[in-house]
Structure formats: structure tokens, C-alpha cells
Amino acid sequence: MHFFRPLAVLPPLPAELSDLPDIAKNFFWAWEPGMDALFRWLDAELWEKMHHNPIAFLLSLPQEKLTEAAQNPEYLEIYHEYRKRFSSYMNAPTWFSGTFEQNHNRVIAYLSAEFGIHESLPIYSGGLGLLAGDHLKAASDLGLPLVALGLLYKFGYFNQQINPHGGQEASYPLLNFHKMPISPMTDGDGREIEVQVELSNHHSCRNVSLRIWEAAVGRVRLFLLDSDTPRNRVEDRQLTGSLYGGDHQTRLLQEMLLGIGGVRALRALGFEPAVWHINEGHAAFSVLERVRELVMKGLDPETAREVVRASTVFTTHTPVPAGHDMFNREVLSCYMERYYGQLGLDRDSFFGLACDPNKHEFNMTLLAHGHATYTNAVSRLHGDTSRRIFFSLYPNIPADEIPLTTVTNGVHIETWLAPEWIDSFQRLAGEEWRTPKASPEAWEKIARMPVAEVWSIRKEIKAGMLDKVRERLLTQKQRYYASPAEQAEIETYLPPDVLTIVFARRFATYKRATLLLRDKERLAGMVSDPEQPVQLIFAGKAHPADQAGQDLIRQIYNLSQQEPFKGRIAFLEDYDIETARYLLSGADVWLNTPRRPLEASGTSGQKAVINGTVNLSILDGWWPEAYNGDNGFAIGRGEVYPNEETQDYYDSLALYAIIEDVVIPNYYRRTNGVPRDWVNIIRSAWRSIPHFFNTGRMVKEYTSLFYVPLMKRSDYIAQNDYSAARRLKEFKRRLMDNWSQIQILQVNEDRPSTPVAGQTVSVTATVKLGAVTPQDVVVELVLGRTKDYLLLDTKGFPLIAGENLGDNTYRYSGAVSLTQGALGFTVRVRPTHPDLAHPFELPLVTWAPEF
Ligand SMILES: *Cc1c(COP(=O)(O)O)cnc(C)c1O
């Protein structure tokens, strides 16, 4: 192959429309209500053909269409409206600028392996990426000084086709980055900016070069790294080939490029982030690169780690240990060996950074957690499961005191709301329903929308969705040379008056796509009921290496080709953001059946609810926080089962029961043709869900819980040549080295024999501190609720140090007032230091022996 320079050449633009290329290069048009008309209006057919990619669209658009539009008042009005809205969006005062002092306007870097922003940028596989995309949109709405960083995959994730045997066929079309709404980053001379990542062991060393592309997401800039440059060896050009596509080794190399290359890219672009947000462990190598930078500047490795920790927040999304990203030591050594030394570490201490005490693998979750001031889970239930995962790192520390916060996921409302709703929402609630505000009052007003109006808009959206699904089924059939009769039959599929349940999401086995297929007779009864029938649409990709997931697709597809399911069950190919948008808004019921507690959060149900689609889900992820008995349906009651087989069996019974006994009768109960009770569920969901489960609220929480505190902390820690970091490091080392000498020698208690609430318990404890000073510790009386053998909801009340009994032994005393209930109390010693971000940042505690 010979070299050529790619050029993207647009049709000459009429002066009136000269901003179109710039408009096309900021995703703002994609979520601002009504603004996709800018492109659709010009040539609706081409717009669909280009999969809503505005650059590919402009590159193919016949010039006459532009000339025509430049004369057309209707089009010019849309165009000017856009310019007005975009400029006020970019320049208006924001929540962030209005809430925090100017000196907190420091850059936040957000790192993630995937971003789901729009169908025209296919660098996502599921919930993790979509969450990141919605995070960026809300960060833009709120005016956060945030820049994001990810990888640009030459083949995206993959495209899915289903063959006539129900087999999933994955294809990897090569993306042409010059036909996408992104731009290469260049220096003053127009040369592409590149950064290098070294892959080395003791006998070889090579550099991988990375180009940097920018995608504009409103005010937020997303930088994407791409190893497909002529400077790289052929095999290295493939490293950023596809998302989650390669083997174990490719995965490691991708994560090195993301983490190490990501830090270098932001530096090369001139950013000095004060806060680093690691979205899931894939980007955790970034902490090592930041430690390395400091070690190269002469800081010792431990102090450097304190500095990095003081500016890092880590979001975990995985509820089971097996789901964590881990690397084998030997593979790691093949590529990172020379890196250890640059971190001031040897091989063993390097692996010590991220190895579970009982395991051999290098664990990216532990690496990130160990270098973050804050770690957070993504729903309350996930918080509880995650605490159990970090348990082994915090021996003897009660689960609820492990340093882990919860920020429940949300969605970006405008991105997911069907356009059919906009006029009604604006009439009822003005702009207040939108993401940055999403006020409860606004959603209360929306919830009072007249029943008939709700229902007629719902019917319109649903009919449009079913048309699109039939069209897609037809395309699929035509690909395999269907007869005219077979093609005609598709027109009769999925009639609009039938209760339509949609299951659309990644086909990971824990999501149990086929739970409703366990009892085929019962399902056949439901779909062919003459009075109150049900129909089902499925969509979703199984990872190409996941045979079990692909089997589920096969089962569903094959069933959809048999009587009596034909035309009442459909499998739709190639689930992506576009498909999601219309399925979510057009379904009557949005079904989710994960094996509890494996769904860390899930967000698609939140998107459904905004559109008046009723959520039907296992009480897992976000749903237990939102479900209130009348705003959707719960499958079961969040039971825990001894094994998967039993769980699947009982959950399927609960699923059939709720559909047959509650969902179906409720849906078909009509007054003057309108299902009043059903619409009341929709209204109750509007009233209770979107005002909380949106990314405006979510990003505000990230900002006030983590970003702003870390801006302050990272400044403080770096002052006077990192003096606070050095002090903290020395404190930690001293306590780690000497903690075992601490002993609670004796506890004396004084309490009423039959205590009543309001009376007190007082204790005196004799504590030997060894080499630790009294200033370094708190001795506290701990009070909690007893449950089984556990002390829950523990609260500490510091005791006062009294007499020095010699040999560094002190008497501590104090009292606490009792509340009613089955309580327990004890005494413990824990570290204290003004610069600790959390009482158990050091996993040290000594509990009183029996007294
Ligand atoms: C929202 C979304 C997801 C994540 O939804 P889950 O509820 O976690 O399955 C996945 N894929 C797409 C395309 C989405 O829009």
C-alpha cells in the first residue's frame, strides 16, 4: 500500500448556511429538541442512509439541496433557531459557575474505555458507555470544566446480523474517521499531535504512537486516541481496532494505551487536570502514569501515590469479583517491565499495588481503588454488593464503614425523550423538565397531563416504532431472498393494538433474555389469547466470544419463526442507540430480568419511564430505589436464592404471574377506549422517577461529593513542594508499621441493669499504644444495632484520654446516651489525622477483647 493523504471535501456551501460543517461537528444538535431537522429536512432518505452521521451526510449531499434550502424560509428558520440556541447554550451562565467560586474552575479529566453519545460514533457496547455519554452531556449542560478521554476504535464494537438459523453474525466495518463528526488534533503547523506509549520488557522495547481526535459534546471536549497511524508497526495499528474485541493481551495493551496514553495526550494538549475521574477499571493505568511523572520529578513513590490519590475518584460498575478486569502477571511483565523502575518499584512491589492478597492476578479495580480518595458504586444495592467485594482489603472493619459512596445512575433526559412529547412537556412545564433542572415540580406538572393526551401521544409513538421494526424485519428477510409471500406476511406482524413488551439490551447471560421463554405453553397462551394478547420484541448483541449469549438469541429467533409465535415475537438485529431510542419510547412495557444482584444499575428503564413506557423489572440495580408500588411493576420482592437454577425457576414464575394477573388486565381495562389505570401508572412514574434518575442530579452529586472536594484537596496536598503529601505518607507508614503494638488491655463499663432510652452507658478503657502517640488515634465507644452476630449502623463516640499509666498506656473514658432497641456497644481504636479523607482510609482498627 502506498501513502495517500485523506481529504474530506464538502459541497460548496451557500453563504447563508456556512455554519453547517461546524454544526455537524458538535453533538449538541443531536439532543437539543427538534434540531436533527437541520439535516433531515435537507434529504430525509440520505439522512437515514447515513445513519444520522452529519458529516457523512454533508459529504454526499447534492449541492442543489443546499441551494434550495438556502432560499427556503422554513429551513432558514430552523437554521437560525439552532444558531440562537447554540450560542445561548454555550454562553449562558451555568450551574457550576453560579455555585462554586472561580478558583474551583479547575479541569476535571474523565477517562473511560467507551462512550455512548450518538449512533454515528459507535464506540460503545452498553450501559457503561451510555452512562459516560450521558455524563458528558450533563457536564456540558451544567458548565463543568470537564474534558473526557477514550479510545477511537477503527471497527467500533461490531455490527450484528441474524442468519436464518438464528445465528449471530458479527461484522466489523472499517470506520472512516474522516467521514465522522470528529476532528484530528493538530499543532500550530497543521501537523497531527501524537503521543507515545512504550511497550517493553527486558529484551525488547517499542513505542506505539497515538493520534488524538476530538469530538465536541456541547461545551465538553472528548479526546479519542487512535493507534492506526503509518508510524506504527502493522500489528500495533490494530491495537485500537475494536472495543472489547481482542484477546487478553490486546485488552491489556488497549488499557495501557488508554491509561498511560490518555494522561500523555491530555498533557500534550496542555491540560493540567486537578481531578481525574476513572470510569471503571479499564482506565486505571492512568494512576500509574501520574505516579511515574511525579517520581521522575524526584518525589518518592509513596508520596507520589498520596498526591495521585488526592486528585482521583473511581467509579466501579461491577457487582461480582469475577467481573473485574484482571491481568496475568506474566502477560503484564511482557509489556510493562521497564515501567516498574520508572515508578520507583521492583516487580513484587509493583504487583503489590493491585493484587488481592489471595489472588495472583493484577486487578484493575484494586489498582484504581487504591489510588482514589473516593470510590463510588452506581446504585444503593450495588453499594452493598461492592462493599463485600472490598471486604478483604478492610479486615475487621464493618461493611457500612468501608470507604465507598453511592451515586445512583441517571440518564440525560433530552437524549432519550421522543420528539412527540416535546410540545406537551413545554406547554405544561416550560423548560424546567430538562436535564440540568429536572425539577420535581415540573415533573409533577407533566404528570397531570390529561389522560387522553397521554394515551394519544403514546399510541402515535408506538405505531411509529412498530412500523420501523417491521421495516427492519423486512430488510432482514430480504437479505436471505424471502419470497414475495413471506415478505407480505411481515406487514401483518406486530399489530399496534396488542400489548407490546420489549426486552432490549446486551445479551449477557445474567440478564436472562429467555426467562419468559421457560414455559413455552404458557407463553403461547399469552401471545395467542383472542381477547388480551401480548407480543414481544427482543433486541441486543451478544459478545462475539459469548456462545451462551448467542444461544439465547438463537432460541428467541427460532421461536419467532414458529407458530403460534410468528408475528408475535420478533428479534430485531443490531441494537444500538438509534434502535434503543425508538424501542424505549414506543414499547408499552420495558422488561428487565437480571439475576439479582448482578445489574449494577441499569439505566434503560429510566429512559423508558420518561417516555411513558412502563418499567417491569426484577428488583435489582436502580429499580429498588425507584419502585414505590404504583409507578411500574416489580418481578418478585428481591428474594435471595440458594442457586441460579432455583432463582431462575422462581423468578420466571413471578414474571408469568405478574404479566398474567396484573399487567395484562390493567392494560386492557378501558374506559371510552382509554386505559385510565395504565395511564395512572405512567403519571405516577413521571411524578416519582425522572426528577431524580437523571444525569443532571447525578453529575451535581459527583461535583459536590467528589470533584470540588478533590480540587481543594489536590491543591492542598501539592502546596510547599507536596509537604502535606509527605506528612500523610509518613503518618501512614508509621501507623502501618506500629499498629500491631496497640492493645486494649481492659474495659470497665457502667450501665443501668434494666436500661431505658435516655439513660447512659459509660466506659473506661485502658489502652496501650506502643510506638503510636495519643494524637494519632481515636479511642471510641461504638454503638450499633444488633442483627444476628453483627453490629450494624455503627456510630463512634470518642472517649477522652485521661491518666497516663506509664509504658505509653492511657486511660480513656466517656459515656453515650442510649436510644430504644436491640443495641450493642464496644470500644475500638482507629487512626486519626486531619488529612485523612475517611476514618478507614487506612484499613486499621483494634477492637476491645471480651469485657
Ligand atoms: C441505555 C442503554 C444501555 C444500557 O441499558 P441497560 O438497562 O443497562 O441494559 C445499553 N445499550 C443502549 C444502546 C442504551 O441506550
Side-chain angles (χ1 to χ4, degrees), residues 124-128 130 411 416 504-506 511 575-578 580-581 584 590 592 599 601-605 607 622:
Y124 58 90
S125 84
L128 178 69
L130 273 295
V411 297
W416 302 106
R505 44 183 34 87
R506 282 186 308 119
K511 294 186 185 248
Y575 185 55
D576 73 347
I577 290 180
E578 184 201 359
R581 252 194 336 260
L584 282 161
W590 193 255
N592 195 14
E599 187 83 293
S601 167
T603 50
S604 58
K607 305 169 192 169
W622 71 284

Side-chain angles (χ1 to χ4, degrees), residues 31 89 94-95 136-143 219 412 414 435-436:
W31 74 79
Y89 180 84
T94 62
W95 171 81
L136 300 194
K137 292 171 189 169
S140 168
D141 294 344
L142 294 165
R219 302 159 187 267
H412 186 256
E414 293 91 321
T435 298

Side-chain angles (χ1 to χ4, degrees), residues 95-108 142-146 274-277 310-313 373-374 699-716:
W95 171 81
F96 188 84
S97 62
T99 310
F100 299 99
E101 299 158 35
Q102 274 311 297
N103 59 354
H104 293 137
N105 200 12
R106 305 276 308 278
V107 173
I108 303 150
L142 294 165
L144 261 63
L146 184 141
V275 178
W276 297 77
H277 186 165
S311 47
T312 305
V313 47
T373 296
Y374 303 110
V699 173
K700 283 180 193 167
E701 280 186 27
Y702 275 101
T703 306
S704 53
L705 290 174
F706 310 136
Y707 296 160
V708 168
L710 289 179
M711 287 176 192
K712 296 181 191 164
R713 186 172 173 82
S714 56
D715 270 354
Y716 168 76

Side-chain angles (χ1 to χ4, degrees), residues 123 205 570 604 835-836:
I123 55 169
C205 173
S604 58
D835 294 343
L836 286 180

